[in-house]
mmCIF file of all heavy atoms in Angstrom:
data_model
loop_
_atom_site.group_PDB
_atom_site.id
_atom_site.type_symbol
_atom_site.label_atom_id
_atom_site.label_comp_id
_atom_site.label_asym_id
_atom_site.label_seq_id
_atom_site.Cartn_x
_atom_site.Cartn_y
_atom_site.Cartn_z
ATOM 1 N N THR A 128 9.103 21.273 9.111
ATOM 2 C CA THR A 128 8.924 22.704 9.436
ATOM 3 C C THR A 128 8.445 23.431 8.176
ATOM 4 O O THR A 128 7.290 23.295 7.804
ATOM 5 C CB THR A 128 10.208 23.348 9.993
ATOM 6 O OG1 THR A 128 11.247 23.316 9.027
ATOM 7 C CG2 THR A 128 10.666 22.637 11.265
ATOM 8 N N ASN A 136 12.658 33.060 -1.929
ATOM 9 C CA ASN A 136 12.084 34.210 -2.633
ATOM 10 C C ASN A 136 12.706 35.535 -2.184
ATOM 11 O O ASN A 136 12.561 36.548 -2.857
ATOM 12 C CB ASN A 136 10.569 34.273 -2.429
ATOM 13 C CG ASN A 136 9.856 33.210 -3.244
ATOM 14 O OD1 ASN A 136 10.492 32.388 -3.882
ATOM 15 N ND2 ASN A 136 8.537 33.225 -3.213
ATOM 16 N N GLU A 142 20.206 29.548 3.216
ATOM 17 C CA GLU A 142 19.212 29.140 4.210
ATOM 18 C C GLU A 142 18.149 28.258 3.556
ATOM 19 O O GLU A 142 17.719 27.253 4.125
ATOM 20 C CB GLU A 142 18.554 30.362 4.852
ATOM 21 C CG GLU A 142 19.441 31.133 5.822
ATOM 22 C CD GLU A 142 20.502 31.989 5.138
ATOM 23 O OE1 GLU A 142 20.440 32.132 3.892
ATOM 24 O OE2 GLU A 142 21.388 32.501 5.833
ATOM 25 N N GLU A 226 2.844 27.275 -12.369
ATOM 26 C CA GLU A 226 4.016 26.419 -12.160
ATOM 27 C C GLU A 226 3.619 24.949 -12.059
ATOM 28 O O GLU A 226 4.315 24.083 -12.563
ATOM 29 C CB GLU A 226 4.787 26.868 -10.914
ATOM 30 C CG GLU A 226 5.419 28.246 -11.098
ATOM 31 C CD GLU A 226 6.318 28.673 -9.959
ATOM 32 O OE1 GLU A 226 6.218 28.094 -8.858
ATOM 33 O OE2 GLU A 226 7.118 29.619 -10.166
ATOM 34 N N SER A 233 -5.018 32.181 -18.655
ATOM 35 C CA SER A 233 -5.689 32.926 -19.719
ATOM 36 C C SER A 233 -4.744 33.445 -20.794
ATOM 37 O O SER A 233 -5.167 33.849 -21.862
ATOM 38 C CB SER A 233 -6.459 34.109 -19.110
ATOM 39 O OG SER A 233 -5.561 34.944 -18.392
ATOM 40 N N ASN A 236 -2.718 29.974 -25.515
ATOM 41 C CA ASN A 236 -3.660 29.541 -26.541
ATOM 42 C C ASN A 236 -3.742 28.014 -26.530
ATOM 43 O O ASN A 236 -3.284 27.339 -27.447
ATOM 44 C CB ASN A 236 -3.210 30.062 -27.911
ATOM 45 C CG ASN A 236 -4.232 29.770 -28.990
ATOM 46 O OD1 ASN A 236 -5.325 29.293 -28.699
ATOM 47 N ND2 ASN A 236 -3.878 30.047 -30.234
ATOM 48 N N GLU A 263 -5.665 36.478 -12.263
ATOM 49 C CA GLU A 263 -4.755 37.589 -11.979
ATOM 50 C C GLU A 263 -4.305 37.494 -10.523
ATOM 51 O O GLU A 263 -5.080 37.165 -9.625
ATOM 52 C CB GLU A 263 -5.434 38.944 -12.209
ATOM 53 C CG GLU A 263 -4.547 40.084 -11.701
ATOM 54 C CD GLU A 263 -4.901 41.461 -12.252
ATOM 55 O OE1 GLU A 263 -5.908 42.049 -11.838
ATOM 56 O OE2 GLU A 263 -4.145 41.923 -13.099
ATOM 57 N N SER A 272 4.121 41.334 -0.020
ATOM 58 C CA SER A 272 3.015 41.965 0.703
ATOM 59 C C SER A 272 3.524 42.902 1.801
ATOM 60 O O SER A 272 2.808 43.791 2.241
ATOM 61 C CB SER A 272 2.081 40.905 1.297
ATOM 62 O OG SER A 272 2.739 40.194 2.329
ATOM 63 N N LYS B 131 -4.916 34.239 -29.868
ATOM 64 C CA LYS B 131 -5.854 33.132 -30.005
ATOM 65 C C LYS B 131 -6.391 32.984 -31.431
ATOM 66 O O LYS B 131 -7.029 31.993 -31.757
ATOM 67 C CB LYS B 131 -6.965 33.249 -28.961
ATOM 68 C CG LYS B 131 -6.462 32.668 -27.638
ATOM 69 C CD LYS B 131 -7.157 33.071 -26.388
ATOM 70 C CE LYS B 131 -6.243 32.673 -25.216
ATOM 71 N NZ LYS B 131 -6.698 33.066 -23.918
ATOM 72 N N GLU B 137 1.264 28.650 -29.754
ATOM 73 C CA GLU B 137 2.219 28.136 -28.765
ATOM 74 C C GLU B 137 3.431 27.493 -29.448
ATOM 75 O O GLU B 137 4.546 27.568 -28.933
ATOM 76 C CB GLU B 137 1.536 27.166 -27.800
ATOM 77 C CG GLU B 137 0.369 27.781 -26.996
ATOM 78 C CD GLU B 137 0.757 29.010 -26.166
ATOM 79 O OE1 GLU B 137 1.927 29.105 -25.741
ATOM 80 O OE2 GLU B 137 -0.103 29.896 -25.962
ATOM 81 N N ARG B 404 0.990 47.448 -14.166
ATOM 82 C CA ARG B 404 -0.278 48.091 -14.512
ATOM 83 C C ARG B 404 -0.764 49.049 -13.431
ATOM 84 O O ARG B 404 -1.596 49.909 -13.672
ATOM 85 C CB ARG B 404 -1.362 47.029 -14.773
ATOM 86 C CG ARG B 404 -1.371 46.529 -16.203
ATOM 87 C CD ARG B 404 -2.563 45.639 -16.472
ATOM 88 N NE ARG B 404 -2.306 44.261 -16.122
ATOM 89 C CZ ARG B 404 -2.974 43.572 -15.204
ATOM 90 N NH1 ARG B 404 -3.963 44.135 -14.529
ATOM 91 N NH2 ARG B 404 -2.664 42.327 -14.952
ATOM 92 N N HIS B 456 9.965 35.188 -14.583
ATOM 93 C CA HIS B 456 9.862 35.183 -13.120
ATOM 94 C C HIS B 456 10.923 34.296 -12.479
ATOM 95 O O HIS B 456 11.351 34.554 -11.364
ATOM 96 C CB HIS B 456 8.429 34.876 -12.661
ATOM 97 C CG HIS B 456 8.108 33.431 -12.449
ATOM 98 N ND1 HIS B 456 7.906 32.551 -13.484
ATOM 99 C CD2 HIS B 456 7.953 32.724 -11.309
ATOM 100 C CE1 HIS B 456 7.629 31.359 -12.979
ATOM 101 N NE2 HIS B 456 7.651 31.424 -11.668
ATOM 102 N N ARG B 463 17.333 37.751 -7.419
ATOM 103 C CA ARG B 463 17.208 38.103 -5.997
ATOM 104 C C ARG B 463 18.368 37.516 -5.206
ATOM 105 O O ARG B 463 18.973 38.183 -4.372
ATOM 106 C CB ARG B 463 15.876 37.590 -5.446
ATOM 107 C CG ARG B 463 14.688 38.349 -5.988
ATOM 108 C CD ARG B 463 13.380 37.813 -5.422
ATOM 109 N NE ARG B 463 12.264 38.578 -5.959
ATOM 110 C CZ ARG B 463 11.022 38.478 -5.519
ATOM 111 N NH1 ARG B 463 10.736 37.632 -4.542
ATOM 112 N NH2 ARG B 463 10.064 39.216 -6.045
ATOM 113 N N LYS B 474 21.189 39.466 6.817
ATOM 114 C CA LYS B 474 19.778 39.226 7.078
ATOM 115 C C LYS B 474 19.350 40.072 8.261
ATOM 116 O O LYS B 474 20.096 40.240 9.207
ATOM 117 C CB LYS B 474 19.559 37.755 7.425
ATOM 118 C CG LYS B 474 19.621 36.842 6.230
ATOM 119 C CD LYS B 474 19.351 35.419 6.614
ATOM 120 C CE LYS B 474 20.456 34.844 7.458
ATOM 121 N NZ LYS B 474 21.743 34.840 6.775
ATOM 122 N N LEU B 485 12.987 27.571 12.154
ATOM 123 C CA LEU B 485 12.544 26.590 11.162
ATOM 124 C C LEU B 485 13.546 25.459 10.976
ATOM 125 O O LEU B 485 13.222 24.398 10.458
ATOM 126 C CB LEU B 485 12.280 27.293 9.827
ATOM 127 C CG LEU B 485 11.103 28.272 9.871
ATOM 128 C CD1 LEU B 485 11.048 29.102 8.597
ATOM 129 C CD2 LEU B 485 9.788 27.539 10.078
ATOM 130 N N ARG B 514 -4.538 46.392 6.960
ATOM 131 C CA ARG B 514 -5.047 45.025 7.044
ATOM 132 C C ARG B 514 -5.409 44.631 8.469
ATOM 133 O O ARG B 514 -4.801 45.105 9.414
ATOM 134 C CB ARG B 514 -3.998 44.026 6.554
ATOM 135 C CG ARG B 514 -3.486 44.347 5.182
ATOM 136 C CD ARG B 514 -2.442 43.329 4.807
ATOM 137 N NE ARG B 514 -1.303 43.976 4.205
ATOM 138 C CZ ARG B 514 -0.784 43.617 3.030
ATOM 139 N NH1 ARG B 514 -1.287 42.641 2.354
ATOM 140 N NH2 ARG B 514 0.245 44.249 2.544
#
Side-chain angles (χ1 to χ4, degrees):
Chain A
T128 63
N136 286 5
E142 287 75 9
E226 293 186 342
S233 58
N236 186 7
E263 171 162 74
S272 68
Chain B
K131 277 160 195 176
E137 300 303 331
R404 273 188 274 119
H456 90 285
R463 290 180 179 190
K474 285 182 292 299
L485 294 170
R514 306 179 224 232

